[in-house]
Amino acid sequence: MKKRITILLSILILCLGCAACTFSGKGKGTEPSSASKSSAEIQHEFEASRPGEYDSADTAVVTTVSKVNGTISFYNYELKKYYTLSYDSVSTYADKYGSAITLDQIKEGYIYEITFLKSKKLLVSLKEVKASLVMEDTSGFSVDSAAKVLKYKTEYYKLTAGTILLGASSRETIRDLKPEDVLTLVGEDNEVYSITVIKGHGTL
């Protein structure tokens, strides 16, 4: 009788041991290690965590939006520096009130606050600045190169070495502007950051 009990206890202990091994091994291999993950999986994880993440920020004038190249070019007025960033489907754009806009609604010559990934030269977000000086589609300006001002009626707007001219012939300068030119001015206070020629005096 004692021998049968001993045999039964041995079988019971053996079964418990097998069950413990099975439980401890359960789930192994369901999560691949980082070493075994493919580059595509790692890239997907990076992209999934990217929205809103950036390492650089700037306030700059948009000079060109190129859908062909998938890029937006900027000009930092304070540093007098031009640079270009790529954009993708995760990049976001907003007007001066914070409402979402499309790529087509980004206005060249206007000032924007931007964030981006400098190492990838990739735009993360773009939001229009509420500039204090905005005069759209206006003619009747005269340039006083000596005084470095742009005059409109009784108002004077300061021109600096950082003021840029957009939408004009590459041979034209601010001094070449005429009163019949239709311009858009953007800047802060009375200081002009950008002048965009909407319709030049030589345009029919």
Side-chain angles (χ1 to χ4, degrees):
M1 183 69 177
K2 288 183 179 180
K3 189 175 181 181
R4 290 183 64 186
I5 292 172
T6 302
I7 293 171
L8 288 172
L9 285 173
S10 298
I11 293 171
L12 181 61
I13 291 170
L14 182 62
C15 290
L16 288 173
C18 290
C21 290
T22 303
F23 180 80
S24 64
K26 191 176 182 179
K28 284 186 178 179
T30 57
E31 283 294 327
S33 67
S34 58
S36 66
K37 289 181 181 179
S38 68
S39 59
E41 289 174 322
I42 295 171
Q43 178 66 21
H44 176 72
E45 288 179 358
F46 172 77
E47 290 177 349
S49 63
R50 204 205 87 197
E53 294 183 2
Y54 62 92
D55 57 24
S56 302
D58 196 10
T59 300
V61 175
V62 168
T63 59
T64 309
V65 178
S66 174
K67 284 187 173 182
V68 174
N69 298 321
T71 59
I72 302 176
S73 296
F74 299 92
Y75 172 72
N76 182 303
Y77 176 79
E78 300 294 336
L79 301 177
K80 302 178 183 64
K81 178 183 177 182
Y82 292 90
Y83 59 95
T84 299
L85 299 174
S86 299
Y87 62 83
D88 63 12
S89 60
V90 186
S91 304
T92 62
Y93 322 108
D95 63 17
K96 58 187 175 183
Y97 304 108
S99 300
I101 59 174
T102 65
L103 192 66
D104 292 328
Q105 292 174 297
I106 297 173
K107 297 175 285 188
E108 296 176 359
Y110 284 69
I111 308 168
Y112 291 85
E113 292 176 344
I114 63 173
T115 60
F116 56 98
L117 292 168
K118 190 173 183 178
S119 59
K120 293 180 173 293
K121 294 185 178 180
L122 181 63
L123 179 68
V124 173
S125 69
L126 173 152
K127 180 177 183 276
E128 184 184 345
V129 169
K130 293 181 180 178
S132 58
L133 170 60
V134 177
M135 295 181 67
E136 297 179 320
D137 301 347
T138 306
S139 60
F141 292 98
S142 59
V143 180
D144 187 333
S145 299
K148 295 181 180 179
V149 296
L150 195 62
K151 182 181 178 182
Y152 179 73
K153 296 181 179 179
T154 59
E155 298 294 325
Y156 292 86
Y157 300 97
K158 183 180 179 182
L159 301 173
T160 73
T163 304
I164 58 172
L165 181 64
L166 302 172
S169 164
S170 60
R171 292 177 296 177
E172 288 185 308
T173 65
I174 292 175
R175 290 183 299 178
D176 298 317
L177 295 175
K178 304 296 181 184
E180 56 267 32
D181 291 335
V182 179
L183 311 175
T184 290
L185 270 58
V186 178
E188 293 292 353
D189 299 323
N190 269 25
E191 193 166 321
V192 182
Y193 285 25
S194 71
I195 302 171
T196 303
V197 179
I198 306 302
K199 185 178 180 182
H201 54 272
T203 305
L204 297 177

